[in-house]
Amino acid sequence: MIRKKIVEQSAADEQAEINLSPLIDCVFILLIFYIVTTVFIDETGVDVNKPEAASSSPLDKQSMLIAITEDNRVFYAGKEIGVSGVGPMVKRQLARESIPVIIQADKKADHGVFSAVYGEAEAAGAEKVNFSTLD
């Protein structure tokens, strides 16, 4: 009789448990895959009304985007840097990796500001300076 009680009591103590270790491992693997395959691009932070072009070609996803608004303000990564800030910013980026520079100029922006930004980027050592248009 005593033996029967011990067996019944130990069976009641054992409860079904769900092992979450494999699930957590899968979540971490998916998270690592997402982080490794994601392309991080510094957006300009402002909307620009780009001009249309007769012909265009796709540009590199890894690039430095500089925006010129219709009131001739120059932005990079959401911060206004001005024409004089383009050179140091391009030099800093090119010191880390060699990437092309893309200028997104509003179609109402002055050509003089665009050419000044273009010249600053080239003077800073950018090998490829492109401009963005609508498709």
Side-chain angles (χ1 to χ4, degrees):
M1 180 90 168
I2 295 175
R3 195 175 253 182
K4 187 176 180 184
K5 268 188 168 179
I6 293 174
V7 171
E8 287 178 10
Q9 189 176 13
S10 65
D13 289 342
E14 292 180 21
Q15 294 179 350
E17 292 184 13
I18 298 174
N19 188 1
L20 294 177
S21 296
L23 177 66
I24 292 171
D25 290 343
C26 289
V27 169
F28 280 128
I29 289 171
L30 289 173
L31 181 65
I32 290 170
F33 177 77
Y34 174 75
I35 290 171
V36 170
T37 58
T38 301
V39 176
F40 296 101
I41 299 175
D42 288 333
E43 292 291 329
T44 58
V46 292
D47 289 329
V48 176
N49 189 12
K50 296 182 271 187
E52 293 185 24
S55 65
S56 63
S57 62
L59 299 172
D60 297 332
K61 291 195 184 283
Q62 291 286 67
S63 56
M64 181 178 180
L65 297 173
I66 298 173
I68 304 172
T69 61
E70 67 180 58
D71 55 347
N72 298 317
R73 294 169 42 203
V74 181
F75 286 86
Y76 173 71
K79 298 176 188 168
E80 186 172 0
I81 59 173
V83 175
S84 61
V86 173
M89 192 66 65
V90 170
K91 280 183 184 177
R92 194 173 314 130
Q93 284 285 37
L94 291 177
R96 285 192 272 165
E97 61 181 321
S98 179
I99 56 175
V101 176
I102 299 175
I103 302 172
Q104 295 179 334
D106 192 284
K107 63 182 174 183
K108 293 182 180 177
D110 289 342
H111 180 73
V113 174
F114 173 80
S115 64
V117 170
Y118 187 91
E120 286 285 324
E122 278 193 331
E127 294 177 12
K128 289 176 68 176
V129 180
N130 301 304
F131 60 94
S132 179
T133 60
L134 293 176
D135 291 334

